[in-house]
Amino acid sequence: MIENNGSDADGPLEEGALTLTDSRTGADYRLDIEHGAVRAAGLGQVRANSEDPGLAAYDPAFKNTAACISRITYIDGDKGILRYRGYPIEQLAEGASYLDIAWLILNGELPTPAESASWRAEITGLQAVPDPLPRMLDGFNEDGHPMAMFIALLSGLGAQHPDSKNVTDAGCRAFHIKRLIGAAPTLAAMTYRRGKGLAPVAPDEDLSFPANFLRMVFGEDAHIDPTLERAMDVLFILHADHEQNCSTSAMRGVGSSHADPYSSAAAASAALYGPLHGGANEAVLKMLTEIGSKDRVNDFLKEVKSGSRRLMGFGHRVYKSYDPRAKIIKRTAYEVFEVTGRNPKIDIALELERIALQEDYFIRRRLYPNVDFYSGIIYEALGFPVGLFPVLFAVPRMSGWLAQWQEMLEDPEQKIARPKQLYLGYDERPVPAG
Ligand code: SDX
């Protein structure tokens, strides 16, 4: 990037214009700055001659590309700010329920008491899944990964709802959004029970969303402690949405072809499964188990600083400061430990954080704990197996994926997602004779 030093802007940063001179032709261009961005289509007007297709913006991994306009979630990575529809995550995690947050994320406002009650009744009425689905899991070994099962079940549920392909119909979208939010915990619990060789537990409509989930996982006779029920609800709230992360981009991308929401959610779940994304909570627990004790933390961090491995649960594409969700999860862990007993792995995690935040390697790269660093310690204390952790991320993120999917379909500027490439391969060449 070549720049002629100007002076700091003293007006609004969001509007203005960029003027460019193309050194190939001497032509000058003006690109309007809107919402802090320039339209890549404007670059397409910069042509060296009549055959030139125009400039493209090259941005591998979309590190500096806005793919959409959204009004759902706002993140300030430098200040560690996360807001759903303008409300700070810290305040929402204090008193709201996950289902009310799902309504907020989807509809833009917190529900009235009447809306909240009817919404909860609708969702709990859509939690049961039809018989063929449990039998689908007979195709998996008991030690099959729960996330692989969850992805398959989403696709199987979609096959039960062929009408969901009618994605341009608002009423159809609204029903299947509720269906997916309602069924997600049921499918998740089924993957856990398959792993234990146990039959699924049917949802109980009289219980709260988190209590119902815990009961479907741990059985009809499980005692659901109110502190643990609340901790699950807080974890669901914290994981509900996070703007254009990898899995949400997959939801939007697959949904842009007008695939049904079940197939799009299966694709989003597949993206979330990766250890660099939602699979990190599982990778963190395995890392803490491998480290084994506080006194081995320094040796482990030496390997990380050598570049031979990553400190899972640390770092983020957007947060270059402490992930606000990690702060809340860390606090929630101690509330859970009051009931379950302290998970000793938290001492290893705290030591990793203490040392890493003082080390130049992490400071220079602005690496801090993210949402996945402490969540798995809670999940393990609650009795979930480590393979279920990414599924526990997918259950609440379902509402965020669906809100983003809905926003994409309602955006008149959105079309099928199909980026360009810069082709640097062979020019035309003849197939060898013989
Ligand atoms: C989630 O996007 C979202 O919003 C995601 C999420 C959501 O709610 O949807 O917040 C959920 O996915 C959280 C992130 C979970 N993933 C992990 O904890 C895995 C470990 N973290 C990293 O792999 C990494 O930090 C990412 C994937 C999260 C972000 O990667 P980036 O932005 O592409 O950064 P990078 O890989 O280019 O790293 C920049 C530098 C590199 O060093 P240099 O090449 O400059 O020497 O930082 C280093 C990296 O090696 N680095 C790490 C590190 N993360 C980055 N080094 C050690 N340990 C790490 N964890």
Side-chain angles (χ1 to χ4, degrees):
M1 177 76 174
I2 305 154
E3 60 180 61
N4 298 321
N5 293 327
S7 58
D8 281 0
D10 50 16
L13 301 184
E14 298 295 288
E15 312 299 335
L18 199 61
T19 50
L20 303 169
T21 298
D22 183 347
S23 62
R24 300 171 299 175
T25 61
D28 290 329
Y29 296 87
R30 171 193 161 97
L31 287 177
D32 287 334
I33 297 173
E34 304 166 84
H35 314 300
V38 292
R39 286 181 174 268
L43 283 176
Q45 308 304 313
V46 179
R47 292 187 171 85
N49 55 45
S50 57
E51 275 88 59
D52 182 353
L55 290 184
Y58 174 54
D59 186 18
F62 312 120
K63 289 189 127 177
N64 190 42
T65 292
C68 64
I69 287 174
S70 181
R71 293 172 175 78
I72 300 172
T73 292
Y74 173 76
I75 300 172
D76 180 322
D78 289 326
K79 296 179 185 149
I81 290 173
L82 169 58
R83 299 181 195 132
Y84 293 156
R85 300 287 189 176
Y87 293 112
I89 193 68
E90 295 80 2
Q91 295 177 30
L92 294 174
E94 269 310 305
S97 71
Y98 161 69
L99 281 186
D100 282 357
I101 297 304
W103 171 280
L104 167 70
I105 285 170
L106 282 157
N107 299 297
E109 299 296 339
L110 285 164
T112 63
E115 287 166 338
S116 176
S118 65
W119 171 245
R120 183 173 172 277
E122 284 186 285
I123 297 296
T124 44
L126 290 168
Q127 289 203 312
V129 296
D131 177 53
L133 267 69
R135 283 190 279 115
M136 272 181 71
L137 294 186
D138 294 343
F140 288 87
N141 297 335
E142 279 190 15
D143 63 356
H145 198 290
M147 196 61 165
M149 296 183 198
F150 184 73
I151 292 164
L153 288 170
L154 280 171
S155 195
L157 186 60
Q160 299 284 324
H161 295 290
D163 66 298
S164 64
K165 295 182 188 308
N166 190 8
V167 300
T168 55
D169 176 89
C172 179
R173 288 201 302 269
F175 172 78
H176 292 289
I177 283 172
K178 287 180 282 196
R179 179 59 168 142
L180 272 160
I181 291 173
T186 311
L187 302 182
M190 285 163 62
T191 68
Y192 169 85
R193 307 268 308 170
R194 177 72 188 99
K196 299 284 184 188
L198 299 170
V201 171
D204 177 343
E205 296 187 14
D206 296 332
L207 296 178
S208 72
F209 189 88
N212 198 14
F213 173 63
L214 290 170
R215 178 180 172 280
M216 287 193 286
V217 169
F218 295 119
E220 298 96 323
D221 302 330
H223 166 62
I224 310 297
D225 183 286
T227 301
L228 305 188
E229 177 183 354
R230 179 62 196 156
M232 274 317 301
D233 222 17
V234 170
L235 286 161
F236 284 162
I237 290 169
L238 297 175
H239 286 83
D241 191 57
H242 212 241
E243 57 134 290
Q244 306 312 312
N245 56 83
C246 180
S247 54
T248 296
S249 299
M251 184 81 185
R252 280 178 170 260
V254 172
S256 73
S257 74
H258 285 192
D260 68 83
Y262 300 85
S263 306
S264 303
S269 301
L272 188 73
Y273 193 0
L276 294 185
H277 191 9
N281 54 20
E282 176 181 1
V284 168
L285 244 289
K286 289 177 177 170
M287 174 185 77
L288 296 176
T289 304
E290 180 198 334
I291 294 170
S293 68
K294 277 173 69 170
D295 52 24
R296 294 181 52 201
V297 160
N298 271 313
D299 288 345
F300 178 80
L301 287 177
K302 279 194 192 106
E303 288 182 64
V304 172
K305 289 180 286 186
S306 74
S308 63
R309 56 190 311 177
R310 293 205 157 188
L311 176 52
M312 301 310 276
F314 255 65
H316 200 276
R317 174 63 56 77
V318 180
Y319 288 124
K320 300 308 173 189
S321 59
Y322 214 106
D323 185 329
R325 300 168 296 178
K327 287 181 188 165
I328 301 168
I329 291 173
K330 196 169 158 182
R331 189 175 66 237
T332 305
Y334 290 99
E335 293 162 10
V336 167
F337 294 164
E338 286 297 312
V339 178
T340 63
R342 184 184 179 87
N343 183 342
K345 290 194 177 75
I346 195 153
D347 299 315
I348 303 171
L350 289 169
E351 183 68 356
L352 276 167
E353 176 186 334
R354 184 187 68 80
I355 298 174
L357 295 189
Q358 295 168 5
E359 293 268 352
D360 183 56
Y361 176 93
F362 297 93
I363 295 167
R364 263 189 304 115
R365 293 171 177 82
R366 304 180 74 189
L367 303 176
Y368 291 84
N370 61 48
V371 68
D372 293 307
F373 190 60
Y374 288 104
S375 57
I377 295 169
I378 298 181
Y379 294 147
E380 187 180 59
L382 289 170
F384 295 117
V386 69
L388 198 72
F389 293 6
V391 179
L392 296 171
F393 196 141
V395 168
R397 186 53 61 89
M398 188 63 72
S399 56
W401 288 334
L402 290 162
Q404 299 274 352
W405 170 76
Q406 176 177 258
E407 187 176 63
M408 178 271 299
L409 288 170
E410 291 173 351
D411 181 343
E413 282 204 290
Q414 290 294 343
K415 295 175 179 295
I416 188 168
R418 202 266 183 243
K420 288 190 162 194
Q421 64 170 15
L422 303 183
Y423 179 71
L424 301 183
Y426 285 110
D427 204 343
E428 182 177 359
R429 56 176 176 161
V431 173

